[in-house]
Amino acid sequence: MTVPASRGVVLRLDAAPKLTLLPLPLLLGRLALLTTPAGDLAAALENLIGEDPLLSVLPPSAASIQDEHLHDEEFWEHLAAPTTLEEHLALQLPLIPEADILGENAAEKLSLCLDGRGYLAAPPEELARTLGVNQKDFEALLLRLRETVEPPGLFAPDLAECLLLQLRRTFPGASDPPLLLRFGREELERRDWHSLQKRLGWEKKRIEEALGILRRLDPHPGSSFCRPHFILPELELRFDRKGTLSVRLLRENLPRLTLDMGMARAATGKTASLPRCTRSALGALAARYRTKLRLGFLLGERQERFLRGEVDTPEPMTLSEAASLSGLAPSTVQRTASSTWASTPRGTLLLAALLARGTAARPDLTVAALRGAIRRGWEEGKSDAALARELGVPPRTVTWHRRELGLPRRKRA
């Protein structure tokens, strides 16, 4: 293909695939930069360019707006400060004498023993060694904490124990849910309700009632104390009056890499001979933006009806399908979609929210769409059989999803 250019120069563009092998450090650097949140991108670029004298990082223009709030006393005065887990524990520890073994800053030490879910971050014996306390005394402290600290479920070693702690304190009269956790854990994890019914010898109604109580519990009691973080979208998906999709980078939210051309010419004589580290940094940032724009445009076109508000759920679009249509690897699609926020007519969304798998019975219907239809039908009083006929899926599919929604069975109409 030939393209005429100015001054009598003719450019010839030949479509020829070219395989370029990147050194492992450069490849890992590109992967890391691809998934870096927009708010941390400036710091990541500073780390990437290191002491390269040819490149500098300009912060996003939107940062100046955020910085204004840092010195705005009225802004902070009216902003509710989140309660940290350490602060929450500090209010309760004076009533727990066993905590005296930790000495000063006991709340801080205990908060560091928990992961983001509120579970123990390591076995008790390892935590006792780290804190420099006797293991038996520390286990006695853990026992007391589990019995008294709010919210119930904190300091559990795993999910099952977390739920059992909540049951003992919140539903002391409920006997079936603890039995379900102790003797039907494997079946619960596999969602094998038939085997669970056979193992316990219970009727379906009894199992459903026990599951209803379990669904009211908090599987991650420590997550409510996680500090909030700001979300900076880096893409904008919009439709003009003619319905044409436009996808653009929100440059005001993104840092820029600037190249000192004068220094580059003085050092190399021509820009084509830039040092590898300089070319690598520029290429990594360009690859990040190119990948996000490509995927954003693909998903925006596929989910146009959802973004316009014409339907409640996205259309089916799997990772493999998106990879095939975009020319990207499935792993690249997954990393990009799960780390890219976009401003859309439906609000600020992760690109991953525009990916959805169809059901086995109806590949053209996503799980969210199917469950929405089941909920609406259930509210209208329709039975599983009636919904199955209406939706064109097996009755067992409707029954399974209805149970997952926590909806009781309707009698056959």
Side-chain angles (χ1 to χ4, degrees), residues 91-370:
L91 297 174
Q92 304 180 66
L93 289 185
L95 303 177
I96 303 177
E98 290 86 348
D100 292 343
I101 63 171
L102 300 178
E104 296 182 355
N105 304 318
E108 178 184 4
K109 295 174 182 177
L110 285 174
S111 65
L112 294 175
C113 293
L114 302 179
D115 61 18
R117 302 167 298 178
Y119 303 166
L120 289 180
E125 57 271 19
E126 183 177 333
L127 293 174
R129 286 197 303 269
T130 302
L131 295 172
V133 298
N134 179 272
Q135 180 179 337
K136 290 185 177 180
D137 292 340
F138 184 66
E139 290 178 346
L141 170 59
L142 288 179
L143 181 61
R144 185 63 185 276
L145 290 170
R146 291 165 180 165
E147 292 175 347
T148 58
V149 163
E150 293 290 338
L154 291 176
F155 296 96
D158 52 36
L159 173 61
E161 184 62 26
C162 173
L163 298 180
L164 286 171
L165 288 171
Q166 295 180 58
L167 286 170
R168 285 198 290 268
R169 293 174 56 183
T170 311
F171 299 94
S175 58
D176 282 351
L179 293 175
L180 198 61
L181 287 173
R182 288 193 180 97
F183 303 109
R185 183 172 177 177
E186 292 183 1
E187 288 80 6
L188 282 174
E189 292 175 350
R190 297 197 309 267
R191 299 179 182 271
D192 187 350
W193 312 125
H194 178 73
S195 299
L196 182 63
Q197 184 181 1
K198 185 176 180 181
R199 178 183 180 88
L200 298 177
W202 294 359
E203 296 180 355
K204 288 184 178 180
K205 183 178 180 181
R206 185 177 178 183
I207 293 178
E208 289 177 357
E209 290 176 351
L211 285 174
I213 293 177
L214 290 178
R215 291 189 179 103
R216 295 165 63 182
L217 304 178
D218 185 356
H220 303 145
S223 61
S224 59
F225 300 99
C226 295
R227 288 191 175 275
H229 62 280
F230 293 100
I231 292 174
L232 280 179
E234 53 185 310
L235 293 182
E236 181 185 51
L237 279 62
R238 285 289 181 266
F239 297 92
D240 62 20
R241 294 180 179 178
K242 296 181 179 180
T244 304
L245 172 68
S246 66
V247 181
R248 73 176 185 94
L249 288 172
L250 292 174
R251 298 185 183 277
E252 60 271 23
N253 291 345
L254 301 169
R256 291 183 295 162
L257 272 184
T258 61
L259 175 65
D260 190 326
M261 297 299 296
M263 183 177 292
R265 291 192 182 93
T268 63
K270 52 183 179 178
T271 57
S273 302
L274 290 175
R276 168 176 281 183
C277 59
T278 302
R279 288 185 281 116
S280 172
L282 293 171
L285 186 60
R288 171 193 169 96
Y289 292 155
R290 184 170 59 248
T291 301
K292 290 176 181 287
L293 285 168
R294 183 186 302 178
L295 187 60
F297 193 81
L298 172 67
L299 295 178
E301 281 193 324
R302 171 59 67 89
Q303 307 299 356
E304 177 179 350
R305 296 181 63 219
F306 169 71
L307 294 175
R308 288 177 174 275
E310 297 174 3
V311 294
D312 295 331
T313 58
E315 301 291 333
M317 172 68 117
T318 63
L319 275 176
S320 57
E321 184 181 1
S324 175
L325 294 173
S326 64
L328 301 170
S331 59
T332 302
V333 171
Q334 191 276 328
R335 292 189 183 100
T336 305
S338 61
S339 61
T340 305
W341 289 90
S343 175
T344 78
R346 296 290 293 251
T348 301
L349 302 174
L350 265 179
L351 289 186
L354 303 180
L355 289 168
R357 180 182 295 276
T359 61
R362 284 277 305 275
D364 62 322
L365 197 65
T366 64
V367 171
L370 176 63

